[in-house]
Amino acid sequence: MFLDTVLHRNPGLVDAAAGLHDRGDIPPDTYVMDLDAVEENAALLAGEAERVGVGLWFVVKQLGRNPELIRSVARHIPRAAAIDVGEARTLHSAGALLGNVGHLSQVPRRALPGLLAHRPDHITVFDLANARAVADAARAAGRTQDVLIRIEGAEGTVYPGQEGGVPLEHLDAFADAAEALDSVRIAGVTAFPCVLCDPSTSLPTATPTFDLLVKAREVLAARGHRDLVLSAPSATAAASLPLLAERGATHGEPGHALTGTTPLHALDPTQPEKPAYVYVTEVAHTLDDGRPALFGGGFYARSHIRTALLPRTGARLGVQDAPARNIDYYRLLDAPADGTDVRAGDTALLAFRTQIFVTRSTVAVVSGLSSGTPRLNGLYDAQGRAL
């Protein structure tokens, strides 16, 4: 999906990644991350957000919750949105501040006391039971906790497995009950996804869920709530920040923009964010019909992978589709049509949209590419633990 863009915009990363694998410094099934490019992208996003008047909470699940990358981003975007408690702990231990926790996955009530000790600015609640749980934990901690109300997404826009939230028509009743809780304060609203890239142009476009979010804030404002947060996550990038500002969002949540891998970047290599990772694996074996099989472990079901580069020969081979229900042991390539020599052990480089935290991949962090002096900083697992 992004291979041409990476080859065009960040060829040094491609060369460094191939060299690391060829020397045996990294195993197959490794994402090689360009630390310099990630930090440059974070600085760029922070500057554009300040220009248009939108706050940012960065997201790191797709980066494998990597502490080196977290620290580099937090130098420019201090606060993060954690999708679950494990991510919140990793962010906190790496020095990032917690802007919002629970926006995709609710905080389990038994984890709330530990989470509150990290002093999150906001906790998102999907229903009244979770609001009460936050209130109980905050009361026990002797504090008042700001909460964001997750608004139920518009019909047809919510991803399976991400359902939940307060329907707009029930918001007044929810607010009545939440306002009676003495240890939480309604601080704003959020929903997901609020922006998507148009499938034909890849340009960022507001979803119907964004419209519901704007109306929800109006409902709360009419009840006397002031300085309300409106966080509008999904596809937050330099290109979409003006849209967020125009529609009244107070916050965006950049994730893939940190690595230059939103759908917009796949079609438009001139986007300002620089591609910052490649996936490195190797040929495991070749089928009798000539199709090479790559070692898997990091292939994500929604990756939209198209081709793989085999640096030894320079061959570009198509990547065959694999059903999401299959276990990711291998990924097949098209058989070379021109008789190109493909050998077991050959390095293969790919670039596609991923969510590293749901893979079993290794993450290799490389610095110095921007100055022409690449250095392997370290290897981590997909949850950010040093190997």
Side-chain angles (χ1 to χ4, degrees), residues 4-340:
D4 287 330
T5 302
V6 177
L7 288 167
H8 175 66
R9 293 283 308 279
N10 199 349
L13 171 59
V14 175
D15 293 341
L20 286 169
H21 180 260
D22 190 55
R23 293 190 299 273
D25 293 333
I26 61 174
D29 181 27
T30 294
Y31 285 94
V32 180
M33 314 294 300
D34 180 347
L35 181 68
D36 299 359
V38 170
E39 182 155 358
E40 289 169 13
N41 291 338
L44 182 150
L45 288 161
E48 179 64 9
E50 183 176 13
R51 186 186 72 80
V52 301
V54 172
L56 294 179
W57 296 326
F58 70 94
V59 178
V60 293
K61 60 188 175 71
Q62 74 289 342
L63 303 179
R65 300 168 171 173
N66 187 275
E68 287 196 68
L69 301 177
I70 290 169
R71 286 190 287 269
S72 71
V73 173
R75 282 192 279 272
H76 306 278
I77 305 172
R79 287 173 164 75
I83 69 155
D84 59 23
V85 174
E87 188 161 294
R89 293 180 184 131
T90 301
L91 286 159
H92 177 76
S93 65
L97 303 174
L98 298 177
N100 183 24
V101 178
H103 74 311
L104 288 182
S105 178
Q106 287 289 268
V107 179
R109 58 197 59 211
R110 294 171 186 83
L112 280 166
L115 178 68
L116 287 171
H118 296 332
R119 311 293 294 187
D121 292 343
H122 306 87
I123 297 177
T124 293
V125 294
F126 283 40
D127 59 17
L128 193 56
N130 278 280
R132 287 174 175 148
V134 173
D136 291 343
R139 187 181 307 110
R143 58 179 292 192
T144 297
Q145 176 63 51
D146 281 357
V147 297
L148 301 183
I149 303 170
R150 161 78 172 239
I151 301 301
E152 184 179 65
E155 185 176 357
T157 68
V158 179
Y159 298 127
Q162 299 184 24
E163 300 88 352
V166 178
L168 182 63
E169 61 270 24
H170 297 161
L171 182 56
D172 264 318
F174 177 93
D176 274 336
E179 287 162 1
L181 300 173
D182 60 1
S183 297
V184 296
R185 185 182 77 90
I186 295 174
V189 291
T190 189
F192 187 89
C194 295
V195 176
L196 291 175
C197 293
D198 183 274
S200 58
T201 66
S202 284
L203 294 176
T205 305
T207 68
T209 294
F210 203 149
D211 298 331
L212 294 179
L213 205 55
V214 172
K215 293 175 183 175
R217 182 169 61 177
E218 293 170 355
V219 169
L220 294 177
R223 297 180 64 88
H225 295 279
R226 297 289 177 264
D227 301 320
L228 290 165
V229 168
L230 192 161
S231 183
S234 188
T236 303
S240 63
L241 283 169
L243 173 65
L244 297 191
E246 176 187 331
R247 295 182 62 86
T250 63
H251 289 78
E253 300 181 14
H256 275 284
L258 296 169
T259 49
T261 51
T262 75
L264 179 58
H265 293 84
L267 286 186
D268 183 1
T270 67
Q271 289 298 306
E273 295 92 348
K274 188 176 184 179
Y277 68 75
V278 291
Y279 181 66
V280 183
T281 188
E282 69 180 58
V283 176
H285 57 276
T286 300
L287 277 62
D288 190 58
D289 61 11
R291 289 179 293 166
L294 303 180
F295 284 112
F299 290 107
Y300 175 60
R302 293 161 55 193
S303 298
H304 303 292
I305 311 170
R306 297 194 181 101
T307 62
L309 171 66
L310 305 182
R312 184 178 65 81
T313 61
R316 290 278 292 269
L317 299 180
V319 179
Q320 298 192 347
D321 289 336
R325 65 181 178 272
N326 283 22
I327 297 176
D328 180 20
Y329 294 123
Y330 303 104
R331 195 64 178 266
L332 293 176
L333 304 181
D334 293 338
D338 58 1
T340 297

